[in-house]
Amino acid sequence: MLVPILLGWQTDSTQGAHMEHAGHVSAQQMTGFAHPLKWLAAVGVHSSGHLLVSLLIALLVYEKFGLAMLRTAWFNLDLLWMICLMISGVLILII
């Protein structure tokens, strides 16, 4: 999602505003790299958004359930991730 901002692509009004989402980026749209400050701004906004959402979820869980929930309802994310990867691998082999 950050690539168009980081590369400074311009949309062509004759091709529609969302053609770059479909992978139809013309040479005219790739006008060169954006200024490095735009890179830092885009990455900063993106990272700040993730950090803010994580903070809000953590505060909500802490205020609503407290630390007792962590002791009783904790689950192993590594195990969940491994199971998801195994299921997706099996589905890829089958399909």
Side-chain angles (χ1 to χ4, degrees), residues 3-10 25-35 38-39:
V3 169
I5 294 170
L6 294 177
L7 293 179
W9 291 346
Q10 304 293 322
V25 180
S26 67
Q28 294 172 343
Q29 289 173 317
M30 294 175 50
T31 59
F33 291 103
H35 194 272
K38 286 185 180 180
W39 293 20

Side-chain angles (χ1 to χ4, degrees), residues 43-60:
V43 171
V45 167
H46 187 80
S47 300
S48 299
H50 278 282
L51 202 62
L52 180 65
V53 169
S54 299
L55 174 70
L56 290 176
I57 291 172
L59 285 174
L60 178 71

Side-chain angles (χ1 to χ4, degrees), residues 2 5 8 22 34 40 44 53 58 65-66 69 81:
L2 292 174
I5 294 170
L40 291 174
V53 169
F65 301 110
M69 184 189 129
W81 183 246

Side-chain angles (χ1 to χ4, degrees), residues 11-88:
T11 57
D12 188 358
S13 61
T14 60
Q15 293 181 354
H18 298 288
M19 288 301 287
E20 67 270 13
H21 296 297
H24 303 289
V25 180
S26 67
Q28 294 172 343
Q29 289 173 317
M30 294 175 50
T31 59
F33 291 103
H35 194 272
L37 289 178
K38 286 185 180 180
W39 293 20
L40 291 174
V43 171
V45 167
H46 187 80
S47 300
S48 299
H50 278 282
L51 202 62
L52 180 65
V53 169
S54 299
L55 174 70
L56 290 176
I57 291 172
L59 285 174
L60 178 71
V61 168
Y62 178 74
E63 292 293 327
K64 183 82 174 164
F65 301 110
L67 294 177
M69 184 189 129
L70 292 177
R71 291 186 199 103
T72 59
W74 186 259
F75 60 95
N76 189 349
L77 288 176
D78 290 333
L79 178 64
L80 178 67
W81 183 246
M82 182 193 66
I83 291 170
C84 290
L85 286 175
M86 288 175 58
I87 290 172
S88 63

